[in-house]
Amino acid sequence: MKISHTLAVVLTVVSVSSYAARSYDSYDTFYAEQPDALFDNSIKQTSNVVYSSANNEMHTELMSKINGKTINIDLGEKSIAVNGGMYRYSNAVAFPGEYPSKINPASGDVYLALLPKGRREILCWQGDTIGAGEADRHKQVYLLTNPMGKDGKTEFLHLPSLFASCRAVLLTKDGKLAFPKNSYLFDKEHETRVGLLVSYYTLKGAHFVPIKRETRIQFDAPENPFRFSHDDQLD
């Protein structure tokens, strides 16, 4: 009887531990598992061809349908066109500390969703940051509400770039759009990066404001952010 009881306790501990922490090698996978993630699959490119325009800007074309509408998208290095309407990245409202840089259209992903309130479309796109060093830890991510500019206000945002993804954008229970700003966590000596603090923000008026939501992730090995664990008990 005592052996059975001990075994049951051990199995319970193992079960709780396996539920509490999970290892990831993809931030997109981690973001997509959040229960209120807004975007699902990206829009497939019309072709795998990247074109050069008259001003030598590289771009690619995509098309999707939502809410009974056809949306034609031209994704460029410095701008995006939605059904002919042009949005330059330099005109987006940028999160403090973020600056627009060229996007490689060949690496770009575009997502489209429908907001429940008012059934407005929302567009998100991302692309690799061009640079050296730790540039592979950053993505240029832009969010555009009401992209065709009809029947309402358009919001054009440049989101925080560190381990960023359109898959990280949330729609909270009270109908707010939220997205994470990731910050490194350090060891006790404040010398080695051991994880990330994931703090969520929303836009209020013309200002980015934090919401009461954050979580921590831990790198499986110090200074290697590409394999990490998330402990549900830290939320």
Side-chain angles (χ1 to χ4, degrees):
M1 196 67 159
K2 182 182 289 187
I3 294 175
S4 299
H5 177 72
T6 302
L7 182 59
V9 171
V10 171
L11 288 175
T12 301
V13 171
V14 171
S15 177
V16 170
S17 298
S18 63
Y19 171 79
R22 178 182 168 186
S23 185
Y24 297 86
D25 59 9
S26 165
Y27 284 90
D28 272 358
T29 300
F30 167 68
Y31 293 136
E33 289 184 356
Q34 306 311 303
D36 38 10
L38 178 59
F39 295 105
D40 193 2
N41 297 320
S42 60
I43 301 172
K44 292 183 178 180
Q45 295 186 9
T46 305
S47 69
N48 292 323
V49 178
V50 176
Y51 303 89
S52 179
S53 59
N55 61 359
N56 293 322
E57 180 179 351
M58 304 302 292
H59 65 101
T60 190
E61 297 175 346
L62 306 94
M63 185 186 73
S64 185
K65 292 186 177 182
I66 193 169
N67 204 21
K69 304 172 185 175
T70 298
I71 298 182
N72 293 294
I73 300 165
D74 190 312
L75 178 65
E77 294 177 295
K78 300 178 183 178
S79 62
I80 191 171
V82 184
N83 283 7
M86 179 75 71
Y87 298 91
R88 295 195 175 278
Y89 305 154
S90 58
N91 293 334
V93 178
F95 193 89
E98 297 295 334
Y99 303 93
S101 68
K102 288 183 179 180
I103 284 179
N104 177 5
S107 73
D109 291 303
V110 181
Y111 296 81
L112 184 63
L114 194 63
L115 294 174
K117 187 177 181 180
R119 296 185 62 77
R120 292 190 306 159
E121 299 88 4
I122 180 168
L123 195 69
C124 184
W125 64 97
Q126 63 189 46
D128 292 340
T129 297
I130 300 174
E134 295 185 348
D136 60 343
R137 303 184 181 200
H138 294 263
K139 278 193 182 293
Q140 298 284 303
V141 178
Y142 293 89
L143 195 65
L144 180 65
T145 64
N146 197 24
M148 289 178 284
K150 297 181 179 180
D151 305 321
K153 179 182 177 182
T154 294
E155 293 176 330
F156 185 21
L157 309 179
H158 182 190
L159 304 187
S161 62
L162 182 62
F163 301 112
S165 171
C166 288
R167 303 297 298 271
V169 178
L170 308 177
L171 185 65
T172 64
K173 292 180 180 179
D174 55 356
K176 293 179 181 177
L177 288 170
F179 49 86
K181 178 188 184 302
N182 296 321
S183 307
Y184 286 113
L185 295 172
F186 290 81
D187 61 6
K188 292 180 180 179
E189 291 74 27
H190 205 75
E191 295 177 349
T192 304
R193 294 172 290 189
V194 296
L196 289 177
L197 176 64
V198 184
S199 305
Y200 285 85
Y201 284 74
T202 189
L203 187 72
K204 187 175 182 180
H207 303 282
F208 295 97
V209 295
I211 64 173
K212 294 180 179 180
R213 177 168 179 162
E214 62 181 28
T215 188
R216 293 172 175 81
I217 61 177
Q218 181 177 353
F219 302 155
D220 289 0
E223 292 293 342
N224 179 9
F226 300 104
R227 285 198 65 89
F228 60 92
S229 299
H230 172 246
D231 191 333
D232 296 325
Q233 294 177 344
L234 291 175
D235 287 352

